[in-house]
Amino acid sequence: EELHHSAILMETLSREPDDTPEQVRQKHQLYQRLQHQMEPLRTACDLWVSAFFWERIDASTPTTGDVYQALENPSGLNPTMRARAATLAHQHRFFHWFLEFPEVFLAGGFDVVLGNPPWEQIQFDDREFFAASRPDIAEAPNMAKRKKMIEQLAQTDPDLYESYRKAQHANDSLKRFVHGSGRFPLTSFGRLNSAPLFTELARQIVRERGYVGVVVPTGIATDAFNQHFFADLVARGELVSLYDFDNRAKLFPAVINLMKFCLLTLERRD
């Protein structure tokens, strides 16, 4: 009910004129009212997602009970927990699609989603992290030597060590969320890559008979880790087209010449 009312308010907001300063002020006030109205929902969502990013899993970690508390009686929520969840939401840029676009999701989703998502392995590489700040660590002769040098940073350069630890934790938390949240049931197998994850997300947020068009590595159709996703597309008859290319013409300067990529088009069918 709350989301339905928010969707109506957002739809009203989008139709309001903004030709004069006064009209802009009125739209701003309406938008602020909408944000305030959705605050319990946003807090509940932030709490749920933040549990995957919590530094320590202990008694202070958000539970399902805390999520319901945020929805039913926000004033009774532990203020420290609420503040920490809000901080994590800001740091990691949590994005709750149905709260950002309530009017779209009330109507079933977007008509079209187009994109060229990042093609990155979701992994943490010590060598990449230290390449600029401490090349001696990045170029250590073996992993054991590198690990020992990193451990020494806790005494010799605690600020750099803390930055390293936080970067590692952020990557581990993201993987924990992808594998454990249930948001990516078909692309969260094996080594994680952002391109399939974005593609599955795009498929989730379009309406029935809506279209997805993305530029992604051809591995979306050929890699073993993506077999569940691509098989599901074919089984549901959602694959409209897949045009395969390599990069010999250097359309993507930062990508190696023989990298194969494709223009993938899907039509969502429920």
Side-chain angles (χ1 to χ4, degrees), residues 138-193:
E139 297 167 7
N142 54 61
M143 186 181 299
K145 177 64 174 176
R146 187 180 306 113
K147 184 177 180 181
K148 184 176 180 180
M149 294 173 73
I150 292 172
E151 290 173 350
Q152 291 173 346
L153 287 176
Q155 282 73 45
T156 61
D157 194 341
D159 289 341
L160 180 58
Y161 180 78
E162 181 64 10
S163 296
Y164 164 79
R165 191 191 64 79
K166 286 184 176 180
Q168 189 176 49
H169 173 75
N171 185 267
D172 291 343
S173 298
L174 178 57
K175 290 194 289 188
R176 189 161 49 242
F177 174 76
V178 171
H179 284 303
S181 67
R183 292 285 287 112
F184 303 94
L186 299 175
T187 56
S188 56
F189 296 90
R191 291 191 303 272
L192 297 177
N193 187 290

Side-chain angles (χ1 to χ4, degrees), residues 74-90:
S75 61
L77 191 65
N78 183 319
T80 302
M81 178 181 291
R82 179 203 292 267
R84 190 173 181 187
T87 298
L88 288 169
H90 176 74

Side-chain angles (χ1 to χ4, degrees), residues 89-148:
H90 176 74
Q91 289 176 346
H92 299 283
R93 298 186 296 177
F94 296 169
F95 194 90
H96 312 300
W97 286 87
F98 76 103
L99 294 183
E100 300 298 336
F101 303 99
E103 75 285 12
V104 171
F105 285 88
L106 189 66
F110 292 98
D111 295 324
V112 176
V113 174
L114 297 174
N116 176 17
W119 311 348
E120 298 174 354
Q121 295 287 340
I122 298 179
Q123 61 184 6
F124 186 76
D125 190 326
D126 296 341
R127 292 167 297 183
E128 290 183 6
F129 181 86
F130 289 108
S133 59
R134 286 290 302 270
D136 57 321
I137 296 178
E139 297 167 7
N142 54 61
M143 186 181 299
K145 177 64 174 176
R146 187 180 306 113
K147 184 177 180 181
K148 184 176 180 180

Side-chain angles (χ1 to χ4, degrees), residues 3 10 35 38 41-42 45 96-102:
L3 191 60
M10 184 64 82
Q35 295 303 307
M38 292 196 299
L41 279 171
R42 188 177 303 280
C45 290
H96 312 300
W97 286 87
F98 76 103
L99 294 183
E100 300 298 336
F101 303 99

